[in-house]
Amino acid sequence: MRAVQFVHAPSIVSAGPGAAAAPGDVADAADRRRRAGRAYNGRVIYRRFGRTELPMPAFSCGGMRFQQSWNRQAAVTAASQRNLEAVVDRALALGVTHIETARGYGTSEAQLGPALARHPRDSFILQTKIVPTEDPADFERYFGESLQRLRVDHVDLLSMHGINNRVAFDRALRPRGCWEVADRLRRAGRARHVGFSTHAPTDLILAAIDSGRFDYVNLHYYYIFQDNGPALDAARRHDMGVFIISPSDKGGRLYRPPPRLRALCAPLSPMVFNDLFCLAHPEIHTLSLGAARPTDFDEHLQVLSLLDDPRPTLDPIIARLDAAYRAAVGEEFARDWRVGLREWDQLPGQINVRRILWLRNLVKAYDLLDFAQERYAAMSPEDNWVPGARAKTVDDRAMIDALPESPFRAQIPALLREAHALLDNPAAQPMP
């Protein structure tokens, strides 16, 4: 695991998502937030979202799990709409003022439109995401459709959705590409800030950050996945907002933790531990909570009273988790297993060795079998979100020859076969 220095960043309380506040306004807003956020024990946490200057709540209301259907054209039932509206109402009552969705989230935008129309436009920060397209005119048209579904005349945050590979990167950033469309929309006031979301290898994320064109980034970073630490550092240097994607889901299906992980994280739940681990990084501003029902926020609120001094709580848990990891996979392997591993598209059979070994290690150390099998089932060289082939067949000699810098190259074919036997479950459902 990556060595991290945790430093608590002071919280910011602002008069609202759309405006800078005078000192008197800040005091009044703080009082309103305290009254609205009694479940926070009087402490609603906001952080400056990088150079956007938006007061970002420590938790965001992510719109991927509460929609009726992944089919954008599906009919919405009254019960589904009532539930979504209750989730939004609960979020805003708690001070979770950032609402996040995407064109690709089925009926999410269309359902959010009437739900958000019940609240003043300046009471929430709204983000949607659109995949960069080959023809930038399509990107602009899709953005217009998103505004119509959301029933707003602007979004606060517009993301290039899924800069996961070089094709998407080029569609976004090439001359006369989608970023130039987004920048024009920004200058017209229809999208206040432009960022990107990504599941890419860290090197490509760094290239997008270092382009200097984005105000914020949505990326993966959790206790079990710290590979994007260099991207956090780069975002801080560029004064970018940092939004963490699905920490409770992609961070290990922590709403259904195995008993071993619960024991290692005590006295916190694994979900609260992971929240605290992430928010103890001052360069991280918000964690997306994919709430499917109003009560899904409740457990997360426990972390807020711990943020002033996270180290006494975090350190013993991290020590136990690290020790369990080393004991499960071996000291040397725990330290160096990533060394010399090439990207999946540079390896025989396009096998994603890094992802497969990572999943194997998580099962060995923490019993995260359901999570690992779901992620393994989703893998495919054609999948832009969970890329690379599974280890159904391994050419030992070709794989060893392709990994000359790995200290474990001779062992990797056998480890891949072991991992495939562990992870390949025909009943596992690939999860988005």
Side-chain angles (χ1 to χ4, degrees):
M1 299 294 179
R2 176 181 182 244
V4 179
Q5 292 292 326
F6 299 115
V7 181
H8 178 56
S11 303
I12 296 176
V13 180
S14 170
D25 295 332
V26 169
D28 291 343
D31 185 61
R32 289 196 301 274
R33 300 293 191 196
R34 290 189 192 100
R35 292 198 304 271
R38 293 182 195 279
Y40 287 33
N41 294 321
R43 299 173 64 245
V44 178
I45 306 299
Y46 296 81
R47 292 178 172 183
R48 172 184 173 272
F49 197 51
R51 63 182 185 243
T52 73
E53 299 291 346
L54 289 170
M56 186 62 70
F59 298 128
S60 293
C61 181
M64 194 178 80
R65 292 180 63 222
F66 58 23
Q67 77 270 36
Q68 169 80 43
S69 171
W70 284 95
N71 176 5
R72 195 180 301 118
Q73 307 306 319
V76 175
T77 66
S80 174
Q81 187 62 26
R82 283 195 303 271
N83 178 69
L84 185 146
E85 291 177 0
V87 171
V88 170
D89 291 352
R90 169 77 168 151
L92 295 178
L94 292 170
V96 178
T97 53
H98 180 217
I99 313 294
E100 182 265 347
T101 186
R103 171 183 169 84
Y105 291 174
T107 59
S108 179
E109 286 185 330
Q111 290 185 257
L112 273 172
L116 293 173
R118 300 160 62 249
H119 299 275
R121 178 62 185 89
D122 64 357
S123 67
F124 55 87
I125 297 166
L126 181 59
Q127 173 180 246
T128 198
K129 308 186 291 295
I130 300 172
V131 173
T133 52
E134 176 63 25
D135 184 349
D138 290 334
F139 182 89
E140 185 165 12
R141 175 166 57 86
Y142 294 157
F143 175 75
E145 293 172 358
S146 289
L147 289 189
Q148 289 179 351
R149 283 191 290 268
L150 290 165
R151 302 188 186 183
V152 294
D153 61 5
H154 75 279
V155 294
D156 304 284
L157 302 168
L158 171 61
S159 290
M160 304 281 170
H161 195 187
I163 298 186
N164 300 338
N165 52 44
R166 182 57 65 173
V167 171
F169 181 95
D170 290 341
R171 286 177 176 176
L173 291 176
R174 70 191 179 198
R176 296 180 296 281
C178 293
W179 182 86
E180 292 190 8
V181 171
D183 187 53
R184 176 159 46 79
L185 294 169
R186 180 188 60 78
R187 286 183 277 111
R190 300 177 72 196
R192 300 288 169 83
H193 307 282
V194 177
F196 72 102
S197 73
T198 181
H199 298 228
T202 305
D203 286 350
L204 190 63
I205 299 174
L206 290 172
I209 289 173
D210 288 336
S211 74
R213 298 189 186 185
F214 295 107
D215 300 316
Y216 67 94
V217 57
N218 299 4
L219 50 68
H220 296 278
Y221 186 85
Y222 325 108
Y223 175 75
I224 66 168
F225 181 80
Q226 300 177 38
D227 293 25
N228 285 334
L232 296 184
D233 297 337
R236 184 184 64 248
R237 290 195 302 272
H238 286 271
D239 194 22
M240 292 172 64
V242 174
F243 169 108
I244 300 301
I245 300 168
S246 302
S248 299
D249 188 58
K250 304 306 186 293
R253 300 285 188 272
L254 299 180
Y255 39 80
R256 295 196 305 267
R260 176 166 174 74
L261 188 61
R262 286 202 301 268
L264 288 167
C265 292
L268 305 182
S269 70
M271 194 155 66
V272 173
F273 161 74
N274 193 52
D275 288 350
L276 184 61
F277 175 82
C278 292
L279 291 172
H281 294 68
E283 61 271 40
I284 290 174
H285 304 117
T286 188
L287 312 181
S288 178
L289 308 186
R293 58 194 64 82
T295 55
D296 283 353
F297 297 103
D298 295 352
E299 187 173 342
H300 296 279
L301 304 182
Q302 299 172 27
V303 77
L304 297 174
S305 64
L306 303 172
L307 282 173
D308 283 339
D309 189 14
R311 294 304 296 259
T313 305
L314 279 175
D315 286 352
I317 299 174
I318 290 173
R320 287 197 300 274
L321 289 165
D322 285 353
Y325 193 88
R326 294 193 302 271
V329 306
E331 293 275 352
E332 186 179 359
F333 196 76
R335 185 181 65 245
D336 295 331
W337 69 267
R338 292 178 179 83
V339 173
L341 296 184
R342 297 180 179 177
E343 292 301 327
W344 62 271
D345 55 359
Q346 301 170 12
L347 292 174
Q350 296 188 312
I351 295 173
N352 195 329
V353 173
R354 181 181 289 110
R355 183 181 295 273
I356 293 169
L357 293 183
W358 172 66
L359 292 172
R360 169 205 177 261
N361 294 348
L362 294 178
V363 176
K364 295 281 188 181
Y366 308 132
D367 291 345
L368 284 169
L369 184 62
D370 289 346
F371 167 74
Q373 289 183 342
E374 288 170 1
R375 301 313 290 166
Y376 193 67
M379 288 176 58
S380 165
E382 290 75 41
D383 194 295
N384 290 329
W385 307 92
V386 193
R390 290 172 279 174
K392 293 181 178 179
T393 58
V394 182
D395 184 325
D396 290 34
R397 177 44 53 193
M399 185 63 71
I400 291 169
D401 289 346
L403 297 170
E405 298 176 359
S406 168
F408 306 103
R409 59 189 175 277
Q411 302 165 235
I412 282 177
L415 291 172
L416 290 173
R417 279 189 283 274
E418 175 198 16
H420 182 72
L422 185 67
L423 302 174
D424 186 43
N425 177 4
Q429 294 296 314
M431 299 294 287

